[in-house]
Amino acid sequence: MRHLKKLRLLSSSALLSASIVTMGFSSIAMAGKATVALPSGELGATSYDPIRSSKLNTATSLIYDRLVEQDADQSFHPHLATSWTESADGMSWTFKLRDGVKFHDGEVFNADTIVSWIPDFKDTENAFLVAAIKSVEVIDPLTVKFVMERPEPNLLYNLASTFMGVPGQKSYDSLGEEYGVTTAIGTGPFKLTSFEIGLETVVTRNDDYAWASDLSSNQGAAHLESVTFREIPDQSTAFLELKTGGIDLLLGVPTDFLSILKAEKNVGVITMAGTGISYMPINTTSAPFDDIKVRQATALAVNQKSILENVYKGVGSEANHFLIDTLPAGDVKKELLVSFDSAKANGLLDKAGWAMGDGGVRMKDGVPLQVKLFTQNDSDLKRLTQVVQAQLKDVGMDAVITVFDSSTIRDEYKKNAHQLAVRSYDWNNADILEWFFSGTRVGYPNVSMWTDEKSEMLKDTAMTKSTTSAERVANFKAYHEHILSSHLFVPLYQPAQNIAFNKDTVTVPEKVRGPRFRSQTFVDIDVVK
Amino acid sequence: MILKYSLQRLLMIIPVSLAISVVIFLIVHLLPGDPIDNLIRVGSSPEDRIALSAKYGLDRSLIAQYFLWIGQVMTGDFGQAIVLRRPVADLIAQNLPYSLQLGGLAFLFSSIVGIILGIVAWASRNTWGEQLVKGFILLGSTVPGFWLALLMILLFAVNLGWFPVSGARDWTALVLPVLTIGFGGIALVARVTRVALLEVGKQDFITLLHAKGLSRTAILFRHLIPHALLPVVTILALRIGWILGGAVTVEFVFGRSGLGSLLIRALGQRDYPVVQGSLLMLALAVMIGTLIGDIAQAAMDPRIREATK
């Protein structure tokens, strides 16, 4: 694994040499066909079964439609459900279903589909998505009622997940565990034609498609006849494929590559808001970070603006709290936002008894302020960690970096061997706070090792005691503010999502709807005429 | 005689495989990391983690897990991948053809060209030809595969446009990966061939053949090459295991599937059944390769057959 990371780093260097070579483009998006390279995080999916899989990719969103769709601003839009109502006590949801929708195998989509589909999640890794639903009742052929175990204001978010794409029930029931490998039946704008694990997936247009959501301009069948999704692990190779016309669209372009891509006359680049942040959890159980003053000083010593400008050339945005900007629970009190203040950081360390030593490292009772800073063997995270190390040095904290692979580092967290760590997450929901700071997940994923009575109370309220969506936002905001006031982490950076395409072969809508580049945009993509 | 020798060697594979299975199992399970961490997602509860651990038998003792696994393997069942969610045998079967295709062609290419180059280097010893081949051998032994792969892509795919940059769609996509892997192999085979020819060439019977007035060509093809091929065959046989799993970096750069890539991905995710199954396959391939090499040597060298009597 370390070798592969090294390879990626070195191949990136070779990429620079590639950029000086003059090349032309050849048009391959002929006859309405387009080839797309999947982002590195989506490689290795082994099935298109949305119910049983733990990993899915963008192609899944083209095969299956969802009851509701989410936009980038976190709003929800009708899709297979045309409207919905939630009871005042949150104990039931009624969904009106779209008429005239058919699965790829001709099966009709209606209320019976939903009644059969929801119980399929039982005992799967994705059961948590429907855990709050007690039963599904048919009101009429196009109306269903979800009777809830408890109010679940996050239900729409779950229903908009790729994992809740609705599969054809006849096919799903008859194929069992084999479903999703050779056959995947949805109502989506494209049908699965072939799937070679680890290599490529080909989907062809569903000519009957006439039920796109309002996130797409094109309300009919997709313009493209077929889309081939390729799995190319090396980013340099994927970039060269784009340059030579081997692919038309490159999803998940690393920010490092943007300047090279933008210099290419025929490459278009779309930058969308990201769905996660990079951050540095602080182990609250390990001295000197058991002292809140040291934790706060550490948070104030990191310069987010400098990271954005110098490491990421201004692409993305500053992170000043734990959630992405579009989440309303991130709208916290201004005084709780974390931003660089060197003077205050130095003052807090002085107050905590850590006096500046001769070598620029603070000392207390003859012990230097030397801390362990862990990171993963990923070139982007390593570079970010080195910058953080230098910024901590400026306030007299000597952070010693240790690099681990992604599996080993989790064991180190569980062993409580860390003090600081540079990490990132990709999740556009406020419940990420529970994932990383819950007292029931100490070690991993709660790398801050945080256990606190008030936190647990606020978490429980946010997670299970909110009745309406507005109440949920307010509860998560209160939980978020408590976490910020406890100084459990340092926000570092909000990455953007970058997509590059060959302007000679395909046209892509200027404004991309949805939190990610998915089916709602693919139905609008056309070939250059 | 050869049959008896082969049978003896074949039977030895069974205890060696069992010993290797223990080593593989222990190494994989003692590595830090937990496959369940790669399976659970935001939103799932801590109880889900415990249930998943139990579902995949990871809550049992290591000894119980080993006997469960080896019992399954003996019935031809490699188990179910934890993170990749497919039967391990299916994953191996899907990736094996790509490895065999790429590794097999690279093996043939490097063997044939390597032997020819070795002979050319020997025949042109003390001339610029030898220096040229020695330079090539040095380059082939030291150039990293991934760097060569990128150079190949830049030259033949990007600048000249002769071959696709990556993928595995048709034979054209095989040319650059085969050349990349083959380059290193050529250097190894050529070096061994050249050294073996030099060694055999110094022996008394070759001097006698020269004294008897046999032509250089006749000595080379009838006497020198058959003797010199013994160590070359050993090296080639050992490389049979490498055919299956030795192309990881090249698979990575050229965006190809293969057993090596599967193993690396599964190792990163600590998908124990896949890592164990793939490693056992590779170990078997190395053992079979060694066996083939030994049998070939025995067939070519009567002294080896005599020694086993």
Side-chain angles (χ1 to χ4, degrees), chain A residues 1 3-4 7-8 10-11 14 18 21-23 35 44 46 52-54 123 125-126 128-129 163 177-178 181 196-200 228 230-234 236-237 240-241 244 405-408 410-411 414 427 431-432 435 440-441 444, chain B residues 31-34 37-46 48-49 52 55-56 80 83-87 90-91 94 98 146 150 153-154 157-159 164-169 248-249 251-257 264-265 267-270:
Chain A
M1 205 63 206
H3 189 55
L4 285 186
L7 159 65
R8 200 172 295 162
L10 286 164
S11 53
V21 184
T22 310
M23 286 157 279
T35 304
T46 53
R52 297 187 191 96
S53 293
S54 55
D123 295 331
E125 274 81 337
N126 297 318
F128 68 92
L129 290 166
F163 291 90
E177 290 279 341
E178 285 306 301
V181 182
E196 283 186 79
I197 295 173
L199 265 185
E200 66 175 35
T228 300
R230 287 195 49 203
E231 303 199 17
I232 306 174
D234 184 42
S236 305
T237 309
L240 291 172
E241 284 281 20
T244 54
D405 74 82
S406 62
S407 285
T408 307
R410 292 189 195 121
D411 257 27
K414 288 175 194 169
W427 192 252
D431 60 8
I432 196 73
W435 186 250
T440 56
R441 302 184 194 271
Y444 183 80
Chain B
L31 274 177
D34 183 346
D37 285 334
N38 294 296
L39 209 55
I40 51 165
R41 296 211 323 277
V42 182
S44 58
S45 67
D48 289 339
R49 156 180 267 289
L52 278 172
K55 182 177 171 183
Y56 292 103
Q80 180 86 10
V83 185
L84 295 173
R85 307 297 314 278
R86 297 285 308 147
D90 280 11
L91 289 170
Q94 276 152 9
Y98 293 105
F146 61 88
L150 284 164
I153 290 174
L154 286 176
V158 178
N159 277 345
V165 173
S166 66
R169 281 191 180 173
V248 180
T249 47
E251 283 168 2
F252 181 82
V253 176
F254 286 102
R256 292 181 61 88
S257 288
I264 292 296
R265 196 187 318 145
L267 198 59
Q269 296 171 328
R270 301 293 188 266

Side-chain angles (χ1 to χ4, degrees), chain A residues 288-527:
Chain A
F289 298 113
D290 51 350
D291 181 344
I292 192 167
K293 287 195 280 294
V294 179
R295 296 206 296 269
Q296 189 179 3
T298 308
L300 296 172
V302 174
N303 189 338
Q304 289 86 356
K305 193 177 175 195
S306 164
I307 288 173
L308 175 65
E309 285 171 4
N310 299 312
V311 182
Y312 297 103
K313 310 288 176 225
V315 180
S317 51
E318 278 183 51
N320 301 106
H321 54 74
F322 200 74
L323 301 175
I324 57 169
D325 282 342
T326 48
L327 286 171
D331 189 18
V332 293
K333 288 177 199 149
K334 274 198 175 145
E335 61 268 27
L336 292 173
L337 294 175
V338 183
S339 55
F340 178 59
D341 188 338
S342 178
K344 198 170 172 186
N346 279 304
L348 281 163
L349 287 171
D350 288 339
K351 268 190 205 165
W354 291 95
M356 190 58 89
D358 294 336
V361 177
R362 288 175 179 273
M363 304 283 287
K364 184 179 178 181
D365 304 329
V367 179
L369 184 54
Q370 191 179 67
V371 299
K372 288 185 275 186
L373 174 57
F374 286 5
T375 193
Q376 278 172 233
N377 200 356
D378 168 288
S379 56
D380 183 48
L381 281 181
K382 278 197 291 188
R383 195 170 44 150
L384 183 57
T385 308
Q386 283 161 357
V387 173
V388 170
Q389 180 191 40
Q391 293 182 349
L392 294 178
K393 184 85 201 253
D394 288 344
V395 294
M397 188 180 289
D398 180 19
V400 180
I401 298 174
T402 313
V403 182
F404 297 94
D405 74 82
S406 62
S407 285
T408 307
I409 202 167
R410 292 189 195 121
D411 257 27
E412 294 295 313
Y413 297 144
K414 288 175 194 169
K415 285 191 282 187
N416 200 0
H418 61 292
Q419 289 185 296
L420 301 172
V422 171
R423 310 176 33 81
S424 64
Y425 77 78
D426 185 8
W427 192 252
N428 62 335
N429 193 297
D431 60 8
I432 196 73
L433 292 166
E434 184 274 341
W435 186 250
F436 285 118
F437 300 105
S438 166
T440 56
R441 302 184 194 271
V442 170
Y444 183 80
N446 181 353
V447 179
S448 300
M449 315 296 279
W450 180 243
T451 47
D452 167 70
E453 207 174 308
K454 189 177 176 192
S455 264
E456 291 305 288
M457 189 265 290
L458 289 168
K459 174 202 78 181
D460 289 341
T461 306
M463 289 295 286
T464 57
K465 297 194 176 103
S466 310
T467 307
T468 63
S469 181
E471 215 177 291
R472 184 178 189 268
V473 168
N475 289 336
F476 266 110
K477 194 170 148 182
Y479 181 33
H480 189 194
E481 286 180 341
H482 180 66
I483 283 165
L484 283 165
S485 65
S486 306
H487 304 290
L488 310 180
F489 71 99
V490 186
L492 302 174
Y493 167 66
Q494 272 193 79
Q497 299 179 77
N498 306 306
I499 292 102
F501 63 99
N502 186 337
K503 286 197 280 191
D504 282 353
T505 59
V506 289
T507 58
V508 178
E510 278 180 25
K511 184 169 189 245
V512 175
R513 303 285 299 272
R516 294 183 176 89
F517 198 98
R518 294 268 161 90
S519 64
Q520 73 280 358
T521 311
F522 272 92
V523 295
D524 285 336
I525 294 176
D526 205 348
V527 291

